Amino acid sequence: MKKPRAAAGSRSRHRKQSSSQEGREKRALSSSQAKPSGPDAGLARRQEEVVLQASVSPYHLFRDTAEVTVLRKNLLSWYDLEKRDLPWRRQAEGEMDLDRRAYAVWVSEVMLQQTQVATVINYYTRWMQKWPTLQDLASASLEEVNQLWAGLGYYSRGRRLQEGARKVIEELGGHMPRTAETLQQLLPGVGRYTAGAIASIAFGQAAGVVDGNVVRVLCRVRAIGADPSSTLVSQHLWSLSQQLVDPARPGDFNQAAMELGATVCTPQRPRCSQCPMQSLCRAHQRMEREQLLASQSLPSSGDVEECAPNTGQCQLCAPPTEPWDQTLGVANFPRKASRRPPREECSATCVLEQPRAVGGARILLVQRPNSGLLAGLWEFPSVTVEPSRQHQPKALLQELQSWVGPLPATRLQHLGQVVHTFSHIKLTYQVYGLTLEEQTPVTTSLPGVRWLTREEFHTAAVSTAMKKVFRVYEGQQPGTCKGSKRSQVSTLSRQKKLSPGQKVLDSFFQPYTSAGAP
């Protein structure tokens, strides 16, 4: 995005502030022991890039400055016309205060990690309305952060954001670090990509970035077929991104590269005819050459010979065991990284409900530990078990009784199962239900325990997995199971008595009144 003129024209006004900010950052860096200092890390990185470029074939580089100039011009012109209207872009474009602008970018970049844009938009809007400044976020509780973040996944991201905000307020005088090096060094959870994004978009630093979209774009433009997750390829991609970033509009350039990967240079069915980089794309050139050879029934010329003559197999090209796939075209790049399948675990969980509680029915939630998976979130009492259901009820009953005391084992009913996959775990929840119909309402003063109404549950800091579990429980309760035969028969009978106009209205509102609706 274009940097606001006022920001560029007020440098003298910010000079004293920047000077004091630099002093704060230096003091903070000198007291930090977790990482090497920012300047040293930057120097080491530049030395790595020099060594790397010296050992890589020119085929995978941009040696011609004119070519780089054309790429920047084409990409930025395309971005100015085609960029999506997103709330974080509007927020940063219209913000004159450097710290508030950096904060707006920071929140968006953290939310967008591992999460689609369409999902993030509403979360981002609610977040910025609730905590428009770093001070607001620093003053919030972790419970509030988890509650707003619920359903977005990767919950440690929200916690790290708040930790970072508190550090900025308490240790850095309320001012965000101004460079990619100091951002990465001083703020918890801020890695190389996030630091580069904040520094380039908010502060205009010519810092390159590499995310999944940029990896795909660069691998195609320079025909890099080796595993992008390998150290060698990763270093090369970062070197390319730093070489290409436009010093006049670094934030716009980085966003343009990511936008291109998200909307045009997509994983499957890329729209090459609409790509501003097509004339510079080695993957597209390779595709056209292979199509021509195939039409003439000629053997492939071999891309390795073109990129690294007389040196053997190039470390940036696809291995010989993975030949060109004519059906994929440019999607032959990048090579798919090999991933380990998530480990499988099983958990027994119980929805414990008190229908006769004071003020209405209540369900029991307990809080997870402050570290590890889903740290600090609320869940139904759960216990890790073997997949066999033989011993699950006993283990689960013991867990329940540790929270609320003696309970009737005979009423513990198995209701079904829910499978939820986290980034590295495929977790199967065996869902049980226990309703205390005839007992005196249970109370407990233990920390980390809550009795909530169903309405309160839906707004609490609970994970998507727990919401799935609760839908299974609700589906077994009289009058709430949208899939039960009784419910279906009742609905059909009612619709027979309705007029055509009433049927239309009923069918429109039904999804929003069913038990499984969001």
Side-chain angles (χ1 to χ4, degrees), residues 498-513:
L498 296 177
S499 68
Q502 288 174 315
K503 289 181 179 179
V504 171
L505 288 173
D506 191 61
S507 64
F508 178 81
F509 285 109
Q510 192 276 333
Y512 298 94
T513 57

Side-chain angles (χ1 to χ4, degrees), residues 130-145:
K130 189 174 182 67
W131 302 302
T133 68
L134 283 160
Q135 179 67 61
D136 294 325
L137 178 58
S139 301
S141 67
L142 179 59
E143 174 70 15
E144 291 176 303
V145 171

Side-chain angles (χ1 to χ4, degrees), residues 101-413:
R101 189 194 314 164
Y103 169 62
V105 175
W106 184 15
V107 173
S108 69
E109 292 299 339
V110 172
M111 284 189 172
L112 286 165
Q113 294 169 12
Q114 308 293 329
T115 310
Q116 295 181 346
V117 167
T119 302
V120 168
I121 289 175
N122 288 334
Y123 280 92
Y124 181 83
T125 302
R126 290 197 300 270
W127 182 285
M128 297 306 294
Q129 288 173 346
K130 189 174 182 67
W131 302 302
T133 68
L134 283 160
Q135 179 67 61
D136 294 325
L137 178 58
S139 301
S141 67
L142 179 59
E143 174 70 15
E144 291 176 303
V145 171
N146 283 338
Q147 186 172 348
L148 194 150
W149 201 276
L152 195 56
Y154 299 90
Y155 293 89
S156 62
R157 294 180 297 168
R159 185 177 70 251
R160 294 277 183 86
L161 258 175
Q162 190 197 35
E163 290 173 1
R166 285 181 172 172
K167 183 166 185 178
V168 171
I169 297 301
E170 296 170 4
E171 301 178 26
L172 300 178
H175 297 294
M176 290 280 289
R178 295 300 197 252
T179 67
E181 290 80 12
T182 52
L183 283 161
Q184 185 177 355
Q185 176 69 27
L186 297 177
L187 300 184
V190 172
R192 188 174 181 181
Y193 162 76
T194 305
I198 298 172
S200 62
I201 299 171
F203 301 128
Q205 181 187 1
V209 298
V210 175
D211 74 341
N213 287 315
V214 175
V215 166
R216 186 164 54 257
V217 169
L218 292 180
C219 282
R220 288 175 179 173
V221 171
R222 293 295 91 176
I224 299 171
D227 184 352
S229 65
S230 69
T231 301
L232 177 69
V233 176
S234 178
Q235 288 178 348
H236 182 60
L237 294 174
W238 276 101
S239 177
L240 284 178
S241 73
Q242 189 60 48
Q243 178 189 8
L244 295 176
V245 64
D246 190 330
R249 298 176 60 187
D252 284 349
F253 182 88
N254 286 335
Q255 290 183 95
M258 293 184 280
E259 186 87 339
L260 187 71
T263 62
V264 174
C265 194
T266 52
Q268 286 86 35
R269 295 184 293 278
R271 298 182 290 149
C272 294
S273 62
Q274 301 177 34
C275 180
M277 311 240 277
Q278 185 190 95
S279 63
L280 303 170
C281 182
R282 296 208 187 282
H284 191 265
Q285 295 164 6
R286 170 76 184 269
M287 179 184 70
E288 291 183 323
R289 186 171 66 253
E290 293 291 344
Q291 289 175 344
L292 178 62
L293 292 171
S295 67
Q296 298 175 349
S297 300
L298 297 174
S300 175
S301 61
D303 207 42
V304 173
E305 295 177 1
E306 190 173 349
C307 88
N310 304 320
T311 60
Q313 175 64 34
C314 171
Q315 295 184 9
L316 293 180
C317 285
T321 54
E322 297 186 19
W324 178 268
D325 186 338
Q326 193 71 29
T327 63
L328 294 177
V330 299
N332 277 279
F333 303 97
R335 177 186 171 193
K336 290 184 178 180
S338 57
R339 293 183 178 179
R340 293 181 179 179
R343 72 175 187 268
E344 297 192 14
E345 293 185 1
C346 185
S347 177
T349 186
C350 180
V351 180
L352 178 62
E353 184 169 18
Q354 297 185 74
R356 301 180 183 181
V358 177
R362 294 288 190 274
I363 52 178
L364 179 70
L365 290 181
V366 298
Q367 192 169 30
R368 291 185 61 83
N370 289 327
S371 61
L373 184 68
L374 305 174
L377 296 186
W378 294 83
E379 67 177 5
F380 300 116
S382 305
V383 60
T384 301
V385 293
E386 295 296 324
S388 170
R389 284 171 43 198
Q390 182 178 358
H391 302 294
Q392 288 179 7
K394 181 179 179 180
L396 184 57
L397 189 64
Q398 289 177 346
E399 177 69 13
L400 288 167
Q401 291 176 339
S402 70
W403 293 107
V404 298
L407 292 170
T410 55
R411 294 187 179 176
L412 191 63
Q413 296 182 342

Side-chain angles (χ1 to χ4, degrees), residues 37-81:
S37 66
D40 288 346
L43 177 61
R45 204 170 284 150
R46 288 190 290 273
Q47 291 173 340
E48 287 178 0
E49 291 168 359
V50 171
V51 173
L52 180 63
Q53 289 201 6
S55 62
V56 169
S57 165
Y59 180 73
H60 300 292
L61 299 174
F62 289 92
R63 291 291 191 184
D64 189 345
T65 55
E67 191 176 36
V68 172
T69 300
V70 170
L71 184 148
R72 289 171 177 168
K73 179 182 177 181
N74 290 355
L75 184 58
L76 286 169
S77 296
W78 170 85
Y79 179 70
D80 289 338
L81 292 173

